[in-house]
């Protein structure tokens, strides 16, 4: 919960590294992605709610040119 009616959520994690109420900052490791259901590999679902309504999470993200480090 980010306050101001904004909530983000992540699905299909294999391990959560933070719990509700923890403070996190940009680039903090918060979870490891996992594989659940009938998927064929590890992946992540990311969603946002604004005042209880689903909103396209891309409206909250910025494209970067960072390269995945494999960490």
């Amino acid at each position: 919960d980010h306050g101001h009616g904004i909530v983000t959520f992540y699905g299909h994690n294999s391990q959560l590294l933070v719990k509700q109420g923890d403070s996190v900052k940009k680039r903090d490791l918060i979870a490891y992605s996992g594989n659940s259901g009938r998927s064929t590999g590890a992946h992540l679902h990311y969603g946002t709610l604004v005042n209880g309504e689903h909103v396209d999470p891309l409206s909250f993200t910025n494209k970067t040119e960072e390269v995945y480090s494999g960490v």
Side-chain angles (χ1 to χ4, degrees):
D1 186 336
H2 300 272
H4 308 287
I6 300 171
V7 174
T8 54
F9 57 92
Y10 303 82
H12 299 288
N13 297 311
S14 66
Q15 182 180 0
L16 301 175
L17 303 176
V18 297
K19 62 186 178 309
Q20 186 172 350
D22 286 351
S23 293
V24 296
K25 61 186 184 305
K26 188 175 183 177
R27 291 189 172 77
D28 280 353
L29 189 60
I30 61 171
Y32 292 107
S33 63
N35 182 14
S36 62
R38 294 198 277 178
S39 65
T40 58
H43 65 289
L44 173 72
H45 287 206
Y46 171 67
T48 56
L49 295 170
V50 177
N51 297 321
E53 299 290 326
H54 289 275
V55 175
D56 183 351
L58 292 179
S59 65
F60 291 92
T61 58
N62 294 321
K63 181 181 177 188
T64 65
E65 299 300 322
E66 294 180 29
V67 176
Y68 174 66
S69 66
V71 176

